[in-house]
Amino acid sequence: MSASRTPRTASAVRHVPFEDLGILAPLLAARGYETTLLDAGIDAIDPDAVAGTDLLLVLGGPIGVYDEDRYPFLHSSKAALATRLATGGATLGVCLGAQLLAEALGAEVRPTGAVEIGYGPLALTPEGRESVLAPLDGEPVLHWHGDEFAIPAGAHSLAYTPGFPHQAFAVARTLGLQFHLEADHRVIERWLIGHAHELHHHGIDPRTIREQAQRHGPRLEALAIRVLSDWLDEVEA
């Protein structure tokens, strides 16, 4: 009788409850990952919490990487991510998570004074068209950001939009995505409620995003699963 295989482990850093793993949760479970959810500001996020896991996922949230004075937990999060990146462990960052990774890799992250919220087409760079993101070229993805990151030294710029020229980067076993492939279109209402004040502030009608999610969500989910599966194949190899 052969010995059972040790399960892979994943840790996911969540900043707000409704920006969760979404469609990634069942994908990871199907691939044999045992996932630990860490709530930023509540759970300890330090080098010990993230160094030994096979896969680290850092999710989005409505704060900035520069908000340490108001959100002191960012200090320990940044230190943990720097340690993680130095070890070369597979790491995926989404929106705020990608910005934290970019900063940990020495790139600037700054507010733009503008926002990109809702479903809109993504354009890929030549490197992006040769990457796991290839199926997304020209496809509407979910954007929800106002800050932007520079591309870290040594990383490949993979995607852009007219208002945000840096939408994705890859270096070694790290992938940073400014947009949200993980969001489950079936529960977009959680996002619309959770970000109600931001939507109102920017004059964005939640009915528009709700309709976009219904129209684009099913196709985007299929593409996202393909992209994320291909990336996992790469980092697990």
Side-chain angles (χ1 to χ4, degrees), residues 3 8 11 17 20 58-59 61 68 88 107 113 115 134 139 145 151 175 182 214 225 227 235:
R8 296 188 178 101
S11 294
D20 57 14
V58 190
L59 302 172
E68 297 101 326
V115 296
E139 296 287 344
H145 49 258
I151 301 299
L175 178 64
E182 84 293 351
Q214 293 171 351
I225 290 173
V227 166
V235 299

Side-chain angles (χ1 to χ4, degrees), residues 70-150:
R70 287 178 286 183
Y71 299 97
F73 74 84
L74 285 168
H75 290 290
S76 59
S77 293
K78 290 180 178 184
L81 291 180
T83 299
R84 171 72 179 186
L85 295 174
T87 66
T91 305
L92 172 67
V94 176
C95 201
L96 172 60
Q99 294 161 14
L100 287 165
L101 294 179
E103 185 186 73
L105 291 166
E108 180 188 16
V109 179
R110 68 179 187 89
T112 66
V115 296
E116 191 172 40
I117 297 176
Y119 287 77
L122 187 72
L124 299 186
T125 65
E127 292 87 351
R129 290 192 289 272
E130 297 297 322
S131 76
V132 296
L133 299 189
L136 300 177
D137 200 11
E139 296 287 344
V141 299
L142 178 61
H143 303 279
W144 211 300
H145 49 258
D147 292 353
E148 69 175 4
F149 52 73

Side-chain angles (χ1 to χ4, degrees), residues 37-53:
L37 189 64
L38 301 171
D39 278 314
I42 306 298
D43 297 317
I45 300 172
D46 53 29
D48 289 340
V50 303
T53 189

